[in-house]
Amino acid sequence: MRATVSFPSVILALIFCTVANLSIWGQDRYRIAVIGFYNVENLFDLENDVTINDEDFLPTGSYLWNAEKYKEKMSHLGRVISELGTEKTPDGVAILGVSEVENRKVLEDLVKEPQIASRNYQIVHYDSPDERGIDVALLYNPKYFKVSASKSLPVLIYGEDKRRNFTRDVLLVSGVFDGEPIHVMVNHWPSRSGGEKVSDPWRVAAAAVCKKACDSLLKADPKAKFVIMGDLNDDPVNNSVKEVLRAKKEKEEVRKGDTFNPFYNLYKKGLGTLAYRDAWSLFDQIILSPAWIQPDVGGYQYFQANVHGPNYMRQQSGQFKGYPFRAYVGATYVGGYSDHFPTYFYLVKKI
């Protein structure tokens, strides 16, 4: 699955495909860069962590998770990450948010995979209070991004019994991206366990954490460039995204306090990042502050959004043909990649 949101064709004609090698049309020169997100699905190590519920992913657990499967999973993820954005820049994705990782160790193993090792990806990670022990994190290429600050923002949600339901924190990372300050929020919002309507307030609460952070950034700098990315467990039309984040589908609709969601129109076209009961959802979104679509602000501007789902990442036969090819179906290991396709978008900057 690969889809695009068009940028003016005259600009597309100017761009040949690399950050390092600049294309030229008359006196105009442009850079291009890539930011993405990938839910890697249950990236656990082989060690038992008694502080979390990781028992299923042990050699003695229900999934019989072992070194051979771990190695294959890492190789698969390395291949996918190595491809993101390489249609237009050989350096690929400069910043990548990830979710469903157990700890820093699995991230350190991942960035050493031969397909991506030369990019020297660095890691920002905090342990979340999630009961399963899965976290979000940020991988970044130091050639393009320099981290200046990071913190973990808690998402406080409570059940009917008034007890806290522990979920993933929001990761907020600030830094300098190829010369300009940006902020990235990596998310994995509460699932739809118990039903979409019942669990909706939990995702609304997670969205509110992001909105509060966004408002704070914009108060300090009305032209702040921030990105909200992640597995939101909601589609672009749901309350958490459309109402709380005020994420608009068209650049022309964006007003003060709004955000821009380049994946809205892809969803309306029937494209998605995961499938369930013969219906596609686009939970994996990347939402942008207005400054990314305001040329007068200068610096990098939004160019094009993609869902990465080539044929090898899909089920090839059976009831779920065409679905994302995951590592497990039930408790049976089938050796796939993830139950989600990654998403990414291109940025362009006139030099």
Side-chain angles (χ1 to χ4, degrees):
M1 176 179 300
R2 190 177 304 283
T4 63
V5 175
S6 296
F7 200 74
S9 58
V10 64
I11 299 299
L12 181 59
L14 305 180
I15 300 169
F16 287 164
C17 71
T18 178
V19 172
N21 300 312
L22 303 177
S23 61
I24 301 175
W25 182 274
Q27 297 302 310
D28 293 334
R29 307 168 73 201
Y30 292 83
R31 287 182 190 269
I32 190 165
V34 186
I35 294 177
F37 173 80
Y38 193 14
N39 179 331
V40 297
E41 189 190 20
N42 293 326
L43 186 56
F44 285 85
D45 63 19
L46 305 178
E47 306 299 322
N48 185 19
D49 184 341
V50 297
T51 66
I52 61 173
N53 183 17
D54 65 350
E55 285 76 14
D56 287 338
F57 284 91
L58 296 173
T60 56
S62 61
Y63 292 112
L64 300 177
W65 190 236
N66 58 32
E68 182 180 357
K69 295 173 184 175
Y70 182 75
K71 182 178 180 180
E72 183 172 52
K73 173 83 170 180
M74 285 293 185
S75 178
H76 283 173
L77 296 178
R79 177 183 179 182
V80 173
I81 293 169
S82 74
E83 295 175 350
L84 298 179
T86 54
E87 305 98 324
K88 291 182 172 62
T89 167
D91 285 339
V93 64
I95 294 177
L96 181 69
V98 293
S99 67
E100 291 201 19
V101 296
E102 182 184 9
N103 50 39
R104 187 180 180 90
K105 177 184 180 298
V106 299
L107 294 165
E108 291 173 347
D109 289 344
L110 176 59
V111 299
K112 293 175 185 175
E113 280 298 307
Q115 304 99 314
I116 56 175
S118 64
R119 296 180 185 173
N120 192 31
Y121 283 124
Q122 304 298 296
I123 300 165
V124 181
H125 167 265
Y126 292 84
D127 284 315
S128 283
D130 179 80
E131 293 174 355
R132 290 185 58 221
I134 54 173
D135 307 326
V136 299
L138 191 76
L139 308 180
Y140 66 94
N141 186 333
K143 180 179 178 181
Y144 304 112
F145 188 55
K146 310 295 182 185
V147 173
S148 58
S150 65
K151 59 183 175 180
S152 193
L153 308 177
V155 177
L156 304 178
I157 57 176
Y158 299 89
E160 292 182 356
D161 58 2
K162 306 302 181 183
R163 297 180 63 180
R164 182 181 172 187
N165 292 331
F166 291 94
T167 187
R168 282 74 58 178
D169 294 340
V170 176
L171 174 62
L172 173 59
V173 182
S174 301
V176 178
F177 185 72
D178 196 19
E180 57 184 297
I182 70 167
H183 312 272
V184 182
M185 286 172 244
V186 188
N187 297 262
H188 187 183
W189 292 355
S191 74
R192 295 186 170 193
S193 177
E196 178 185 346
K197 290 184 178 180
V198 171
S199 58
D200 176 69
W202 303 347
R203 290 182 296 282
V204 166
V209 171
C210 290
K211 187 65 167 67
K212 182 178 180 181
C214 294
D215 290 345
S216 179
L217 292 171
L218 290 171
K219 183 177 181 180
D221 177 9
K223 296 182 179 180
K225 289 185 174 180
F226 59 77
V227 174
I228 304 167
M229 63 166 65
D231 176 359
L232 308 184
N233 273 303
D234 266 340
D235 287 311
V237 296
N238 291 123
N239 290 333
S240 58
V241 181
K242 189 176 180 181
E243 303 300 331
V244 179
L245 295 183
R246 295 170 57 177
K248 307 300 184 181
K249 64 180 178 179
E250 304 292 348
K251 290 183 283 187
E252 295 76 17
E253 298 176 349
V254 176
R255 301 290 183 267
K256 184 177 180 181
D258 294 339
T259 55
F260 172 57
N261 189 351
F263 291 89
Y264 196 121
N265 282 324
L266 301 189
Y267 172 73
K268 283 295 188 180
K269 292 177 182 177
L271 303 175
T273 55
L274 71 159
Y276 179 68
R277 293 182 177 177
D278 296 326
W280 283 93
S281 293
L282 211 165
F283 289 173
D284 306 84
Q285 299 165 58
I286 307 174
I287 298 167
L288 313 177
S289 63
W292 294 106
I293 56 172
Q294 296 171 338
D296 60 301
V297 173
Y300 278 107
Q301 292 286 293
Y302 165 75
F303 169 50
Q304 186 183 81
N306 290 330
V307 176
H308 185 71
N311 196 49
Y312 75 84
M313 291 178 64
R314 297 171 177 271
Q315 290 276 4
Q316 296 301 304
S317 61
Q319 178 183 357
F320 303 110
K321 183 178 180 180
Y323 283 28
F325 182 28
R326 56 194 305 174
Y328 282 88
V329 176
T332 302
Y333 182 72
V334 294
Y337 296 77
S338 171
D339 59 345
H340 289 244
F341 293 143
T343 51
Y344 63 98
F345 71 99
Y346 290 110
L347 299 167
V348 293
K349 176 167 70 171
K350 188 175 181 178
I351 305 302

